[in-house]
């Protein structure tokens, strides 16, 4: 409406004020539709709000967007509550990456928080922000782009595409956990051996049937192979997997997987694997493990066939 009577404007203001701070998960998006005029009613500090209300307030301001909203969010940076800090970090995707990094993220201790990257423009700002835990969700087909990253402790790449040359990942001497997912086919898997501090590795082998070049650092103790399928050949990497404490195999669509070449590991976890087909494999041998964890697997009718000597079987 181009204008409101003084009485009606007062009633509208009163009605809006009763909706603040946002309470329900759906409130921020609905309140943000009011536009920038709502910002004058938002608090300059979150100290008087509960943690839940503070989080919803940050979301509301972020969804409104614009320079005025950015200035308001910068005034919230001093709040130390964990969920509030996480929401301030997550709100990065609603603003131009560099101004938000300078006004908001530069004032947050990012060392103990996950930073989610949803578009390539945010990569440039990461080096000066110095986070330690980064999750990249936008499609990435050139791992050389990661040279812009600072040294990390945790790195997750969720939308890798094309042919991913693992030798292009920059060396990170303190990298502890690495996750590689998406529709990529991986090459130069021996490059993973140079991450000498890497303890946890997760990698999708949906499009990488040849694992013969896989090499793991001496400290790598937990390996997750996602999207294993009938064409996944674990035989060539038997030696590379022998030093693990835990091996986790997640099958694609409960497809039969050749598990005859599994190494001896203390803990083997199978998810959505056709265990029935595994037991019927010619020359089947019980796994050399202490604990066998089966989650969402196709199991034989006779559960007694899973009673392997010296193995504790856990079914979920």
């Amino acid at each position: 409406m181009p204008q409101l009577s003084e009485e009606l404007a007062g009633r509208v203001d009163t009605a809006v004020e009763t909706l603040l701070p946002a309470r329900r998960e759906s409130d921020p998006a609905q309140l943000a539709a009011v536009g920038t005029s709502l910002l004058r009613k938002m608090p300059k500090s979150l100290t008087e709000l509960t943690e839940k209300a503070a989080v919803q307030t940050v979301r509301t301001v972020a969804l409104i967007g614009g320079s005025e909203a950015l200035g308001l969010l910068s005034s919230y940076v001093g709040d130390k509550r964990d969920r509030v800090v996480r929401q301030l970090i997550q709100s990065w995707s609603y603003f131009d990456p560099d101004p938000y990094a300078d006004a908001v993220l530069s004032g947050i201790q990012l060392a103990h928080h996950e930073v989610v990257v949803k578009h390539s423009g945010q990569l440039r700002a990461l080096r000066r922000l110095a986070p330690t835990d980064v999750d990249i969700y936008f499609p990435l087909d050139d791992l050389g782009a990661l040279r812009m990253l600072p040294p990390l402790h945790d790195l997750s790449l969720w939308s890798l595409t094309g042919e991913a040359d693992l030798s292009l990942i920059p060396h990170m001497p303190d990298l502890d956990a690495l996750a590689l997912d998406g529709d990529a086919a991986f090459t130069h898997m021996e490059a993973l051996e140079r991450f000498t501090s890497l303890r946890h590795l997760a990698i999708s082998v949906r499009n990488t049937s040849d694992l013969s070049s896989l090499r793991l650092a001496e400290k790598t103790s937990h390996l997750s192979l996602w999207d294993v399928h009938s064409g996944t050949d674990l035989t060539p990497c038997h030696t590379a997997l022998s030093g693990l404490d835990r091996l986790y195999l997640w099958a694609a669509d409960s497809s039969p997987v050749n598990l005859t070449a599994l190494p001896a590991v203390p803990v083997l976890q199978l998810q959505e694997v056709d265990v029935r087909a595994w037991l019927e494999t010619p020359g089947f041998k019980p796994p050399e493990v202490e604990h066998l964890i089966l989650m969402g697997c196709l199991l034989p009718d006779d559960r007694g066939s899973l009673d392997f000597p010296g193995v504790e079987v856990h079914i979920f």
Side-chain angles (χ1 to χ4, degrees):
M1 297 177 66
Q3 69 181 65
L4 297 175
S5 68
E6 185 175 342
E7 178 189 359
L8 186 53
R11 290 171 59 191
V12 169
D13 274 351
T14 300
V16 170
E17 287 169 358
T18 63
L19 299 175
L20 297 173
R23 297 170 180 83
R24 299 171 299 180
E25 289 295 318
S26 59
D27 286 350
Q30 295 176 2
L31 286 167
V34 174
T36 55
S37 63
L38 186 67
L39 293 174
R40 73 178 188 273
K41 295 185 177 297
M42 306 302 283
K44 299 296 188 291
S45 170
L46 303 174
T47 55
E48 300 299 321
L49 300 179
T50 65
E51 185 173 24
K52 180 179 179 180
V55 170
Q56 298 288 54
T57 297
V58 171
R59 286 186 61 214
T60 303
V61 174
L63 288 170
I64 292 173
S67 59
E68 189 177 348
L70 179 58
L72 190 54
L73 290 174
S74 68
S75 70
Y76 298 158
V77 167
D79 197 299
K80 304 299 184 183
R81 288 172 290 185
D82 190 61
R83 290 176 57 204
V84 176
V85 174
R86 288 205 305 268
Q87 188 59 57
L88 284 168
I89 296 172
Q90 292 168 11
S91 297
W92 191 17
S93 59
Y94 297 113
F95 295 84
D96 288 339
D98 290 318
Y100 194 89
D102 294 335
V104 178
L105 298 182
S106 62
I108 296 176
Q109 292 292 330
L110 297 175
H112 302 293
H113 295 280
E114 174 187 282
V115 176
V116 174
V117 177
K118 293 188 176 180
H119 57 83
S120 59
Q122 294 173 312
L123 280 179
R124 295 189 306 271
L126 285 177
R127 179 166 290 278
R128 67 178 186 273
L129 293 174
T132 58
D133 184 351
V134 172
D135 278 30
I136 297 178
Y137 280 90
F138 68 87
L140 184 65
D141 60 1
D142 177 16
L143 292 178
L146 300 179
R147 63 183 178 275
M148 290 182 281
L149 292 175
L152 300 172
H153 292 125
D154 296 83
L155 174 62
S156 298
L157 309 172
W158 298 109
S159 297
L160 292 169
T161 62
E163 186 174 281
D165 182 349
L166 298 183
S167 69
L168 297 179
I169 301 177
H171 181 55
M172 300 181 186
D174 297 321
L175 190 66
D176 178 78
L178 176 64
L180 304 167
D181 197 11
D183 290 318
F186 295 105
T187 62
H188 297 289
M189 300 181 76
E190 71 279 357
L192 296 171
E193 190 175 19
R194 63 196 168 96
F195 296 105
T196 54
S197 296
L198 190 66
R199 292 187 302 131
H200 302 266
L201 172 65
I203 183 169
S204 170
V205 294
R206 179 186 301 118
N207 298 320
T208 311
S209 296
D210 182 7
L211 303 181
S212 59
S213 65
L214 179 64
R215 299 291 183 274
L216 302 177
E218 186 176 342
K219 285 188 177 181
T220 304
S221 58
H222 290 64
L223 173 65
S224 297
L225 297 179
W226 296 332
D227 304 310
V228 295
H229 50 81
S230 57
T232 305
D233 185 5
L234 298 175
T235 306
C237 58
H238 183 276
T239 302
L241 305 184
S242 60
L244 295 172
D245 291 334
R246 189 184 192 102
L247 176 60
Y248 170 46
L249 303 177
W250 190 339
D253 303 320
S254 299
S255 63
V257 181
N258 184 358
L259 302 179
T260 57
L262 285 178
V265 292
V267 179
L268 173 63
Q269 180 171 333
L270 306 179
Q271 184 153 348
E272 297 187 17
V273 169
D274 189 343
V275 174
R276 298 174 306 183
W278 176 35
L279 296 176
E280 295 170 359
T281 304
F284 168 80
K285 294 181 180 180
E288 297 180 62
V289 301
E290 298 173 18
H291 299 274
L292 176 61
I293 302 172
L294 306 176
M295 300 187 66
C297 295
L298 295 178
L299 302 175
D301 294 331
D302 178 14
R303 299 299 173 86
S305 60
L306 296 173
D307 292 335
F308 306 128
V311 179
E312 289 190 24
V313 179
H314 313 268
I315 299 175
F316 299 94

